[in-house]
Amino acid sequence: MELKEVFSVLSKGVMVSLNSKRYFEVANYLSIEENFKEASEVFEKIGFNLIGENGYFYLAKNESLNTQELESFITTHKKLFVALSIVKSLFPYLDSSQTIKQSQFLTKLTQKEDDLLLQKLHFLFGQKDLKSFTEELFTLLEKHYVIERLDIKNRDEYIVLNALAYYLEILEGVQ
């Protein structure tokens, strides 16, 4: 793996996790201290900080976000934070490297169905049935590199990626 390949992935806003099949090579490369240090130095020269913690890596701007950028981040990720609050309400002990199934989520959602939960789901996805909510929620989590399908053919079972910790820290800070 070369540094330009690593930058190509990270510059797209991808958060790579060591327990990701899709981005394992990039995360594994960055988990080697010498590679991380070299990448950090190179990326810093072009205005980025390479962040690596809890088994995940991502690029951030060198300077602090201004108010507009911070608002943009929150707006862009608002649905993700709501989705994560729903997931954590149904699976309070969910953590990285565990598996989560859409079918299991749908069962718990059906059992726990309450007004606040439904309001959150309607906020996220409009007026739909619980199965559609579940599918769209999992798509959203996958899009933000929080989960990844274990098998490309199986749309039911996913692994929870290390990047979950990043979003949960932000979510806990907001609450």
Side-chain angles (χ1 to χ4, degrees), residues 37-175:
K37 185 176 179 180
E38 177 191 7
S40 292
E41 290 170 359
V42 170
F43 297 158
E44 191 171 330
K45 290 178 183 174
I46 57 173
F48 295 100
N49 287 330
L50 176 61
I51 310 297
E53 53 193 35
N54 298 323
Y56 61 86
F57 304 89
Y58 65 95
L59 283 181
K61 286 178 39 175
N62 270 352
E63 62 235 24
S64 297
L65 296 177
N66 63 37
T67 305
Q68 184 179 5
E69 291 169 323
L70 188 56
E71 286 176 11
S72 175
F73 176 84
I74 291 169
T75 302
T76 304
H77 291 80
K78 188 184 308 182
K79 286 187 173 186
L80 175 63
F81 293 129
V82 173
L84 286 172
S85 73
I86 292 168
V87 170
K88 287 303 274 183
S89 72
L90 297 175
F91 297 90
Y93 302 107
L94 187 68
D95 205 358
S96 300
S97 296
Q98 293 179 332
T99 58
I100 184 170
K101 293 182 177 185
Q102 279 193 28
S103 56
Q104 184 182 26
F105 180 88
L106 182 58
T107 300
K108 284 193 175 228
L109 183 60
T110 303
Q111 291 170 349
K112 189 175 178 172
E113 197 174 333
D114 65 26
D115 288 340
L116 180 58
L117 196 54
L118 288 174
Q119 286 175 2
K120 288 179 180 181
L121 288 166
H122 290 304
F123 166 78
L124 288 176
F125 309 116
Q127 300 292 329
K128 297 190 176 160
D129 61 279
L130 294 180
K131 187 174 186 322
S132 296
F133 284 146
T134 300
E135 290 171 356
E136 290 191 39
L137 186 132
F138 273 69
T139 299
L140 179 67
L141 294 174
E142 191 173 22
K143 176 185 167 198
H144 286 282
Y145 313 103
V146 175
I147 61 173
E148 181 176 275
R149 268 191 249 165
L150 284 174
D151 179 358
I152 196 101
K153 296 173 188 167
N154 181 353
R155 291 198 49 85
D156 188 43
E157 193 169 17
Y158 294 77
I159 187 167
V160 178
L161 299 176
N162 295 337
L164 172 72
Y166 170 80
Y167 291 112
L168 289 180
E169 281 182 38
I170 294 171
L171 189 61
E172 288 170 9
V174 170
Q175 293 175 346

Side-chain angles (χ1 to χ4, degrees), residues 29-30 32-40 50-52 57:
Y29 176 87
L30 291 172
I32 298 169
E33 190 174 338
E34 299 83 33
N35 294 344
F36 183 86
K37 185 176 179 180
E38 177 191 7
S40 292
L50 176 61
I51 310 297
F57 304 89

Side-chain angles (χ1 to χ4, degrees), residues 4-23:
K4 68 180 182 179
E5 294 172 274
V6 171
F7 183 74
S8 175
V9 170
L10 294 176
S11 66
K12 294 175 186 165
V14 174
M15 188 175 297
V16 297
S17 296
L18 277 168
N19 62 343
S20 167
K21 284 184 184 178
R22 185 172 178 193
Y23 295 110

